[in-house]
Amino acid sequence: MSQKIFAGVLLFCVAATSCWAQSLGHVETSEWNTYRSIKFGFEVKHPKSLHERGVTGTANGQPIERVDFTTTPEVGKPQEGLVFYVQRKINPKGLSIDQWYADQMKKAPKAPPPKTLIIGGRPAAWYKVAGAFGQNYSFFVSLNKTDILTIAFTRPLSEAKLDQTFETILSTIKFLD
């Protein structure tokens, strides 16, 4: 019995230390801007260096519903960006986000397996792949039964994991329903 208690305490301490270590880096958001959209059904805080850029057009015959945020180009610095894209009625069966992702990836046999996390209190699936321009991150979360919000951005290839600023942006997402 005492071995089970010891193992439980040890596991708790390791988990607590791991959580604490992950939250050591803090990004101050009090000076950040807030983007809020009833149309898209969410709000998010972002650094003032990211500026909203409207995007219009169509994709697969459907109107594009997206908002982009980009930095002002500077000589010698890569331009950073963040995209929020709503895919309306892309989940007609109302599948859970991980089931929906698996269903979508059947069409792409080399697709990376998703990782999971919580965004705005909702389950989300995400993956990262290296591309010509860097590490491409895509996050997927259900807005409602049939609509999926995709959050996408690219980071430098040299970054082994997601940087604190983008982690913090994701942590500020709130859904409006």
Side-chain angles (χ1 to χ4, degrees):
M1 177 78 167
S2 64
Q3 287 178 333
K4 287 182 181 178
I5 292 171
F6 176 76
V9 170
L10 181 62
L11 181 61
F12 173 78
C13 289
V14 169
T17 302
S18 175
C19 290
W20 178 79
Q22 291 175 2
S23 64
L24 278 180
H26 173 74
V27 176
E28 179 57 48
T29 63
S30 63
E31 298 293 320
W32 283 15
N33 292 333
T34 299
Y35 171 81
R36 180 181 172 92
S37 173
I38 301 294
K39 176 182 175 183
F40 294 134
F42 72 92
E43 71 176 37
V44 63
K45 292 182 90 172
H46 61 86
K48 289 182 177 184
S49 61
L50 289 173
H51 307 284
E52 180 183 345
R53 185 183 75 182
V55 176
T56 59
T58 60
N60 299 324
Q62 298 294 321
I64 291 176
E65 291 192 45
R66 76 185 242 186
V67 61
D68 293 9
F69 295 89
T70 59
T71 55
T72 303
E74 293 182 37
V75 176
K77 286 189 174 182
Q79 187 173 17
E80 293 187 345
L82 174 64
V83 175
F84 293 90
Y85 184 87
V86 177
Q87 299 176 82
R88 302 282 181 201
K89 297 182 177 53
I90 191 83
N91 186 9
K93 298 175 189 172
L95 301 173
S96 68
I97 198 67
D98 55 336
Q99 291 172 322
W100 173 83
Y101 179 87
D103 189 55
Q104 294 295 303
M105 293 305 117
K106 287 178 187 173
K107 303 167 193 166
K110 292 184 179 182
K115 298 174 179 126
T116 58
L117 76 157
I118 302 294
I119 294 178
R122 298 180 184 186
W126 71 280
Y127 68 87
K128 171 181 79 168
V129 294
F133 299 106
Q135 303 280 0
N136 300 302
Y137 290 84
S138 293
F139 297 81
F140 308 94
V141 62
S142 295
L143 281 177
N144 54 45
K145 188 175 180 178
T146 64
D147 300 344
I148 302 292
L149 172 66
T150 300
I151 306 159
F153 50 87
T154 301
R155 303 298 303 142
L157 282 170
S158 60
E159 288 184 12
K161 63 179 191 165
L162 188 58
D163 79 14
Q164 298 248 317
T165 299
F166 282 85
E167 279 186 5
T168 303
I169 291 169
L170 291 173
S171 76
T172 68
I173 294 173
K174 294 179 185 172
F175 294 99
L176 303 178
D177 56 5

